[in-house]
Amino acid sequence: MMGGEWKFAARTAWRESRRQRSRLLLCALSIVFGVAALVAVDSFSENIEAELDQEAKTLLGADLQITSRTAFTEETEKILAAIGGDQSREIRFASMAFFPKTERSRLIQVRALGGGFPYYGEFETTPAGVTVAQSEEPIVVLDPLIMAQQGLEVGDTVRLGETEFTISAELVGVPGEAAFAGIFAPRAYIPLSQLESTGLIQVGSLAFYRVYAAGFDEDPVRIVEENQTAIDASYLRVETIEDRKEDIGSALENLNSFLGLVGFVALLLGGVGIAGAVQAYLIQKRDTVAILRCLGSSSRQAAGVFWFQIAAIALVGAVVGAGAGVLCQAALPRLLAPLLPFQLEFFVSWTSIFQGVLYGAATAFVAGLFPLLPLRKVSPLRAIRADFTANKKQKDGLTRLLGIVALFLICVLASTRTAIWWHGLIFVVGLAVALLIFWLVAALLKWVLKKVVKPRSFILRQAAANLHRPQNRTVYLTVSLGIGTFLIYTLTLIQTGLLQQTDIAEESDSPNLLLFDIQPDQFEEVESILQQNGLEFAAASPIVTMRLSSVKGISVTAIKDDPDNDIDDWILNREWRSSYRGAPGAAEVVSEGNYVSDWTGKSEPIPISLEDDMARDLSVEIGDRLTFDVQGIPIEVEISSLRTVDWTQMWPNFFATFPLGVLENAPQWWIAVTRSPDLETTAALQSEIFKGHPNVSVVDLNVVIESLQTILGRINFAVRFMGLFTMATGIIILANAVAASRHQRVAESALLRTLGAVGKQIRTVLALEYALLGLVAGIVGVALALVASSALGIWVFQVDFNLPWLQVAGAILSVVLLSTATGLLCSRGVSTAPPLKVLRGN
């Protein structure tokens, strides 16, 4: 169009919209929630990235963090000396603490710290300024969680092992740790100089030995690279500031990607909603286009009038959505703040806002063009002959081209929402399959209601007929409501499944107490204490530490140097904690080979049983040989059997188990499980064992489970919060559809009233129609959610869960009620339309 034609189209569009602005704004709402979700997630991600860059050094508290799972040897000390810099030492382990004030015990994380750590950031306490690293006195800084639980105050005492410590402060924050860091086991910082006096570190104790280093004259990364061979040989793990940033960023990136995909779905549904709403709106404007054609306007000029209106809808919806997204962005840090290892500062991300507006406006505009293109085919004869209709639909190449462009944009947008681009394409394919299923179900519903179902009741017959009448929007309403139900309920089921795996409180025969670090000479005494409290070991297993030396005759060093190696470093570097026993454990099943109970031979190889997933990771099978370094003694073993282990069961489980007659004389300690009937028995047992054997830890698994549920609840709430945007979009689409067909429904209502129907009957017909629509969308959405959550449970989370039938029924009922309430709310006044309207032709 020329400049004058554009001006005419713009002016006409403005005048034409005067009586339709409320309806056009309702159309714009379809895109608001999708844009809001994208802006909120992208802005949140940008806030995190900026904070990671700004607080980079405080994420570690030093330039390097060097960790070992065994005490530092002479060789290790030489490596640490070669690395240089200012160094601080820390030994951290789990242990029981006894609180004289309450006469109770609790598992805590003991962190014995010495030196100048932290080198960056602050060790924050209340009162401020308390440090334990340089202290020569038995003081402790406790996590606020345990302070609150035990009713402790500064000045009270805590007994750790054989030493009594005075609480000097309450812990506020440590560089690089989130607020939830102490939720499983509260933290307790003590001076490293006081650790030996506690007597808590025994042979085989589970402890991490850590060195923090800073103040280098050259790049610390280069120093690490120069000593990498020696570091690997000593099984040390070195973490730099960039490593910590990457670890935190990748963990949050997965959550952000998922939330972003949820927003992406809401955006696509918004596009579907705009296409449907614009189509219903433009159907009533065909006469206007025909009149413009009669007055001399070209088809492009006449269609251009509504092109401006669609562009305005897209822009307004995108801008309003961006504003809503900024408000949601402010809420997300509050939901996830306890999971973040730093204080997240809120700021407005203009880049995210611009991208959100661009994505939203483009989606809305392209979606709106689909119903606009047919207006080019409207003939001027329609204004002269009211009954004029085209004989047949003509193929439109421009519509096909627009479809290709739309598909391309969807794929590009999805690819930008995931860390790996092709993951986004897979998501699009999966979404397309879900949409196809919903479309087929809706089409089948219309066919069944039209051809098969013939209710005798007038009200039921009328409600069923409404779902297959022309311009009824049954298909895309089912799709929009169903997709929202599908996404939200999938998240709900995944959370339910994960929590079911950790919910051991209701299982009468499942252990709920874990005892570890039991030394061999303490085993009988600990067992006697249990018996005095009416308990017994449900299972007990010795643990011998070892490391893997070779796989199928190839040394671990050679495997790590092989560029084609596909074995994870954590397997090659880890310290294996293996056991010996004469039969598989309670949570184990032999999946292949023969389990050897005892070994009386005097020559190697020794037959062992290996967990089947570990066998796959090592690329070994029955008959292959491994070599283990058992505390300085090499032992060659042969895989005689593979076991499937249910790691969700609270029993002693191991990757490798040896037969009896091999490891009995090796340095070892014991782990055991039992079941306590109540909290009082648990508390009494913990206190009694602590007083006699302070190195033995008694872990109440129910406390751990409650902590896990708290964390999962935070994450799940954030995900569901974003998922509600999808459901809200579906509700807006439903409201748009009802508003678009209001004129037709008023006419139908007036006709029914002319035939004798009363307002109550008409409202019942409408309620049944929307209820049936919600029922179909709910059933299909929940069914797909069950399939998706089961697939994710099996292949991603590796959990099995029971179907929550009450939850399923509640989800379907919620969708039915939501659909019915929305439909009736948007249909107010329809049932009271006067019958004279039909007679007057209005």
Side-chain angles (χ1 to χ4, degrees):
M1 291 187 294
M2 303 298 292
E5 293 177 322
W6 280 112
K7 291 181 180 179
F8 169 78
R11 285 197 304 269
T12 305
W14 174 257
R15 293 168 182 165
E16 175 65 22
S17 69
R18 287 176 179 173
R19 297 181 60 186
Q20 304 288 337
R21 284 174 189 169
S22 60
R23 186 170 172 184
L24 292 174
L25 288 176
L26 186 59
C27 292
L29 277 178
S30 297
I31 208 71
V32 165
F33 292 101
V35 175
L38 290 182
V39 170
V41 172
D42 288 351
S43 298
F44 180 64
S45 299
E46 192 165 329
N47 282 185
I48 288 177
E49 290 177 7
E51 200 67 34
L52 282 174
D53 290 335
Q54 184 176 347
E55 303 292 334
K57 290 191 174 183
T58 61
L59 294 177
L60 200 62
D63 292 321
L64 295 177
Q65 176 183 289
I66 306 165
T67 305
S68 172
R69 300 190 70 171
T70 57
F72 294 137
T73 62
E74 291 185 10
E75 290 299 321
T76 307
E77 294 293 349
K78 291 179 181 178
I79 297 171
L80 296 176
I83 291 175
D86 296 329
Q87 297 185 359
S88 298
R89 300 291 178 102
E90 180 189 79
I91 301 175
R92 61 172 61 182
F93 55 94
S95 180
M96 299 299 293
F98 180 74
F99 306 98
K101 184 176 182 179
T102 60
E103 290 289 319
R104 304 197 70 168
S105 300
R106 175 74 156 83
L107 181 73
I108 63 171
Q109 300 178 54
V110 179
R111 300 184 178 184
L113 183 63
F117 179 84
Y119 298 102
Y120 309 111
E122 294 183 10
F123 187 86
E124 300 178 70
T125 61
T126 302
V130 176
T131 59
V132 298
Q134 291 86 20
S135 177
E136 296 296 330
E137 300 295 326
I139 63 173
V140 61
V141 175
L142 278 182
D143 199 298
L145 176 65
I146 197 66
M147 296 278 285
Q149 287 178 343
Q150 301 293 331
L152 302 175
E153 298 176 351
V154 173
D156 290 337
T157 59
V158 178
R159 184 180 168 192
L160 299 175
E162 300 173 0
T163 304
E164 197 163 89
F165 291 80
T166 301
I167 302 174
S168 61
E170 180 178 298
L171 183 65
V172 175
V174 182
E177 289 194 354
F180 272 5
I183 194 169
F184 290 107
R187 296 160 291 181
Y189 279 89
I190 65 172
L192 184 61
S193 61
Q194 301 297 311
L195 177 61
E196 186 176 354
S197 67
T198 66
L200 291 175
I201 298 298
Q202 303 282 337
V203 175
S205 294
L206 294 171
F208 290 89
Y209 298 79
R210 185 166 291 175
V211 169
Y212 299 98
F216 296 98
D217 296 328
E218 56 180 304
D219 184 4
V221 176
R222 180 178 299 176
I223 297 175
V224 172
E225 291 174 349
E226 291 173 353
N227 293 274
Q228 193 65 57
T229 302
I231 289 172
D232 290 342
S234 297
Y235 300 101
L236 299 176
R237 182 176 182 270
V238 180
E239 188 174 8
T240 65
I241 293 173
E242 289 301 318
D243 293 333
R244 177 62 63 88
K245 282 177 60 178
E246 185 177 347
D247 290 343
I248 296 173
S250 61
L252 293 173
E253 184 180 23
N254 292 332
L255 178 60
N256 287 333
S257 295
F258 185 76
L259 295 178
L261 286 175
V262 173
F264 168 69
V265 174
L267 187 67
L268 290 186
L269 280 181
V272 173
I274 281 188
V278 169
Q279 182 185 29
Y281 171 70
L282 293 181
I283 285 176
Q284 301 177 21
K285 298 299 179 181
R286 289 179 179 176
D287 291 339
T288 302
V289 174
I291 292 172
L292 290 173
R293 294 290 308 279
C294 289
L295 295 177
S297 296
S298 65
S299 61
R300 290 187 303 168
Q301 190 176 22
V305 172
F306 302 100
W307 183 94
F308 275 105
Q309 291 185 350
I310 293 172
I313 289 172
L315 186 59
V316 170
V319 171
V320 174
V326 173
L327 296 178
C328 294
Q329 172 205 355
L332 279 177
R334 295 185 179 183
L335 294 174
L336 301 175
L339 305 177
L340 302 176
F342 47 77
Q343 186 70 31
L344 188 61
E345 296 295 332
F346 168 82
F347 66 87
V348 177
S349 171
W350 294 106
T351 301
S352 300
I353 291 175
F354 174 76
Q355 289 180 347
V357 171
L358 179 63
Y359 289 151
T363 301
F365 183 67
V366 171
L369 286 181
F370 280 98
L372 177 63
L373 290 180
L375 288 187
R376 298 177 298 114
K377 306 294 184 180
V378 174
S379 171
L381 286 175
R382 183 182 179 92
I384 302 173
R385 296 174 55 190
D387 62 341
F388 176 83
T389 54
N391 294 328
K392 62 179 181 178
K393 292 184 178 181
Q394 298 178 357
K395 294 181 179 180
D396 191 348
L398 193 57
T399 301
R400 292 181 177 179
L401 178 61
L402 183 63
I404 295 173
V405 171
L407 180 61
F408 174 75
L409 290 177
I410 290 172
C411 292
V412 169
L413 181 56
S415 299
T416 62
R417 309 310 303 171
T418 53
I420 303 176
W421 66 270
W422 55 269
H423 286 180
L425 298 183
I426 292 177
F427 182 82
V428 171
V429 172
L431 186 61
V433 171
L435 291 174
L436 179 61
I437 291 173
F438 279 112
W439 182 86
L440 290 174
V441 169
L444 178 63
L445 172 67
K446 291 177 63 177
W447 182 86
V448 169
L449 291 177
K450 186 175 182 179
K451 301 292 186 181
V452 179
V453 177
K454 302 292 182 182
R456 293 183 179 182
S457 168
F458 165 77
I459 293 177
L460 288 176
R461 188 165 62 252
Q462 189 64 32
N466 282 349
L467 290 175
H468 63 74
R469 60 176 169 74
Q471 308 299 326
N472 65 336
R473 303 289 188 273
T474 298
V475 173
Y476 96 91
L477 286 177
T478 303
V479 169
S480 58
L481 287 175
I483 285 291
T485 304
F486 164 57
L487 287 176
I488 293 178
Y489 196 59
T490 297
L491 303 176
T492 302
L493 281 175
I494 290 173
Q495 183 197 33
T496 301
L498 290 174
L499 294 182
Q500 281 179 355
Q501 296 307 303
T502 59
D503 189 8
I504 62 173
E506 301 300 325
E507 298 179 19
S508 59
D509 59 345
S510 180
N512 59 6
L513 288 182
L514 171 68
L515 297 85
F516 62 89
D517 266 2
I518 306 174
Q519 298 300 308
D521 59 351
Q522 298 173 323
F523 186 85
E524 291 183 0
E525 294 181 21
V526 171
E527 187 176 27
S528 176
I529 293 174
L530 260 69
Q531 292 172 352
Q532 292 171 12
N533 285 271
L535 305 177
E536 60 181 12
F537 286 138
S541 299
I543 293 181
V544 179
T545 59
M546 59 189 68
R547 290 189 182 275
L548 189 63
S549 296
S550 69
V551 179
K552 294 189 287 190
I554 305 174
S555 69
V556 167
T557 303
I559 294 174
K560 290 196 289 187
D561 292 339
D562 184 359
D564 297 327
N565 163 50
D566 56 358
I567 301 177
D568 288 337
D569 283 346
W570 77 270
I571 297 176
L572 301 174
N573 293 333
R574 76 184 306 274
E575 184 177 55
W576 291 57
R577 290 182 168 86
S578 304
S579 186
Y580 56 89
R581 53 194 182 195
E588 302 174 345
V589 176
V590 176
S591 57
E592 188 177 347
N594 297 314
Y595 191 94
V596 178
S597 300
D598 55 79
W599 182 77
T600 57
K602 296 183 180 180
S603 61
E604 297 181 358
I606 298 168
I608 68 164
S609 180
L610 197 64
E611 192 260 347
D612 47 13
D613 285 334
M614 178 60 75
R616 280 191 290 272
D617 291 339
L618 283 171
S619 300
V620 294
E621 55 189 17
I622 299 293
D624 286 338
R625 296 187 179 186
L626 308 172
T627 301
F628 284 102
D629 181 348
V630 183
Q631 302 171 34
I633 301 175
I635 296 179
E636 187 177 19
V637 301
E638 183 176 8
I639 302 171
S640 64
S641 68
L642 299 178
R643 291 166 294 114
T644 298
V645 179
D646 185 357
W647 296 100
T648 63
Q649 298 295 315
M650 301 303 177
W651 298 92
N653 298 318
F654 304 92
F655 287 120
T657 58
F658 286 68
L660 301 175
V662 180
L663 300 177
E664 279 80 352
N665 294 324
Q668 58 192 264
W669 53 275
W670 286 72
I671 185 173
V673 291
T674 186
R675 180 166 184 84
S676 172
D678 49 54
L679 292 176
E680 290 74 16
T681 303
T682 298
L685 182 66
Q686 288 177 325
S687 296
E688 191 170 351
I689 289 180
F690 178 85
K691 292 176 181 178
H693 308 283
N695 64 290
V696 177
S697 297
V698 183
V699 184
D700 185 351
L701 296 176
N702 288 307
V703 174
V704 177
I705 298 309
E706 289 174 4
S707 303
L708 179 61
Q709 290 174 341
T710 301
I711 294 177
L712 289 176
R714 283 269 182 174
I715 296 175
N716 190 268
F717 183 80
V719 172
R720 284 201 213 177
F721 176 72
M722 299 305 298
L724 288 175
F725 285 88
T726 305
M727 181 60 79
T729 303
I731 297 302
I732 294 298
I733 291 175
L734 176 60
N736 265 320
V738 175
S741 60
R742 183 178 181 83
H743 178 77
Q744 184 177 356
R745 289 183 180 276
V746 168
E748 291 175 354
S749 173
L751 181 59
L752 289 174
R753 295 193 66 190
T754 302
L755 296 175
V758 296
K760 182 179 180 181
Q761 288 177 309
I762 296 172
R763 287 191 295 271
T764 304
V765 168
L766 292 175
L768 287 174
E769 176 187 348
Y770 297 129
L772 184 57
L773 192 67
L775 180 64
V776 173
I779 290 176
V780 179
V782 169
L784 285 180
L786 290 171
V787 173
S789 58
S790 298
L792 289 171
I794 294 172
W795 291 310
V796 177
F797 299 104
Q798 296 182 346
V799 298
D800 244 345
F801 55 89
N802 300 320
L803 186 62
W805 289 108
L806 288 178
Q807 197 179 76
V808 168
I812 296 174
L813 180 61
S814 299
V815 178
V816 172
L817 293 177
L818 196 60
S819 174
T820 305
T822 304
L824 290 178
L825 185 64
C826 297
S827 300
R828 288 179 301 171
V830 169
S831 61
T832 58
L836 284 177
K837 283 197 172 187
V838 175
L839 301 177
R840 292 173 178 172
N842 294 330

